[in-house]
Amino acid sequence: MSDHTLPYTAAAAGSPSHTPKQQGRIAAIADAWLPRLVLSPTIILSLVFVYGFIGVTAWLSLTNSRMMPNYEISGFNQYVTLFGLDRWWVAAANLGIFGGLFILFCLAIGLIMAILLDQKIRAEGALRAIYLYPMALSFIVTGAAWKWILNPGLGLEKMMHDWGFANFHFDWLVNSDFSIYTVVIAGVWQSSGFVMALFLAGLRGIDDSIIKAAMVDGASLPTIYRRIVIPALRPVFFSVLLVLAHIAIKSFDLVMALTAGGPGTSSDLPAIFMYQFSFSRGQLGLGAASAMMMLATVLAVLVPMMYLETKGARNGR
């Protein structure tokens, strides 16, 4: 090797392109900023298209907007008008009936089906698929199907009459006193399988050794489920309640396909009220006020549940 090549060799050996210290610094910067860069588009879109539109809706609810938005603040006149409408209180009462029964029956039926499937029965996969199938349908399809089933002239009542049960009557769909309960039936049919899947996943996550120890101590199976298994499903209950409450409050397509809010306004819900007053009756400000009341209902359900869940987590429950 000639002498004039030595300086280049020494320089190449003594000054690598990236030292381990520099590589560690670059890796630390990448670890700190890469998640932010990946999440930033989602955060920006959420801020604009979710919280931004919530802000616009709240602004419109304080204006006298009718066919087109009017951004001049006029106070809480729309809320005063909203609370003075009998139709709004009918929709709010129907939401209480539908939401309460929908959540209660979905929880009960979903939990029972999950416990039955957790017994390692035969054809579990087929039964699970059958229970979950309704969730694959849209609420429009569910509403249309149950409208045919519950129609007195086409469905269940006519079938029973054809079988010779002439005194059988089931006219809830056209009865203003019971029409809201047909929405409950259709909603529970569609969502119970989804609830079952969530509970079944929670049951499969419980340590079998705890159950076996309880059985060795002489505890019966109902006692084990009541004292050990169901309390261990607390996080699942929280998730299920949150999802079902959200479905109940925003229900629109199911009711429109099944009853269209009728007969009259007997099965009206706040989502239908908001849509019709905003886009059919040209009272955009009043519709925005009803939308904000729906948001307040969601928060009234969500905030206490999150508080209780975080409090339970802090206490180690």
Side-chain angles (χ1 to χ4, degrees), residues 51-211:
Y51 299 102
F53 287 163
I54 289 175
V56 172
T57 303
W59 187 282
L60 290 176
S61 70
L62 301 175
T63 68
N64 290 323
S65 300
R66 296 187 67 83
M67 293 292 295
M68 298 296 292
N70 176 8
Y71 296 102
E72 183 178 351
I73 296 293
S74 62
F76 294 93
N77 297 335
Q78 300 290 3
Y79 292 93
V80 174
T81 303
L82 179 68
F83 295 146
L85 292 176
D86 291 337
R87 181 175 175 180
W88 168 253
W89 292 112
V90 169
N94 285 338
L95 177 60
I97 295 172
F98 169 67
L101 294 177
F102 172 71
I103 293 173
L104 177 63
F105 280 106
C106 282
L107 281 173
I109 295 174
L111 182 59
I112 291 171
M113 291 193 300
I115 291 175
L116 292 176
L117 287 180
D118 193 45
Q119 307 308 310
K120 308 297 190 297
I121 63 176
R122 298 176 63 179
E124 176 189 334
L127 289 174
R128 187 167 60 242
I130 292 172
Y131 293 154
L132 276 173
Y133 175 73
M135 200 63 191
L137 304 176
S138 69
F139 276 116
I140 290 291
V141 175
T142 299
W146 278 96
K147 186 175 183 178
W148 297 333
I149 294 171
L150 299 177
N151 190 315
L154 298 174
L156 180 62
E157 182 174 319
K158 184 178 184 302
M159 181 184 70
M160 297 301 290
H161 289 175
D162 293 340
W163 286 357
F165 298 95
N167 294 326
F168 179 85
H169 294 287
F170 196 84
D171 60 347
W172 288 11
L173 189 65
V174 296
N175 190 327
S176 60
D177 294 330
F178 295 97
S179 58
I180 188 63
Y181 300 104
T182 62
V183 184
V184 176
I185 293 172
V188 169
W189 177 82
Q190 175 152 8
S191 301
S192 294
F194 172 69
V195 175
M196 177 273 299
L198 294 180
F199 277 128
L200 186 60
L203 289 171
R204 296 291 165 82
I206 297 176
D207 190 358
D208 290 339
S209 61
I210 301 175
I211 299 176

Side-chain angles (χ1 to χ4, degrees), residues 35-51:
R36 302 178 186 179
L37 292 175
V38 172
L39 292 175
S40 57
T42 303
I43 295 173
I44 293 172
L45 291 175
S46 297
L47 289 175
V48 174
F49 293 103
V50 177
Y51 299 102

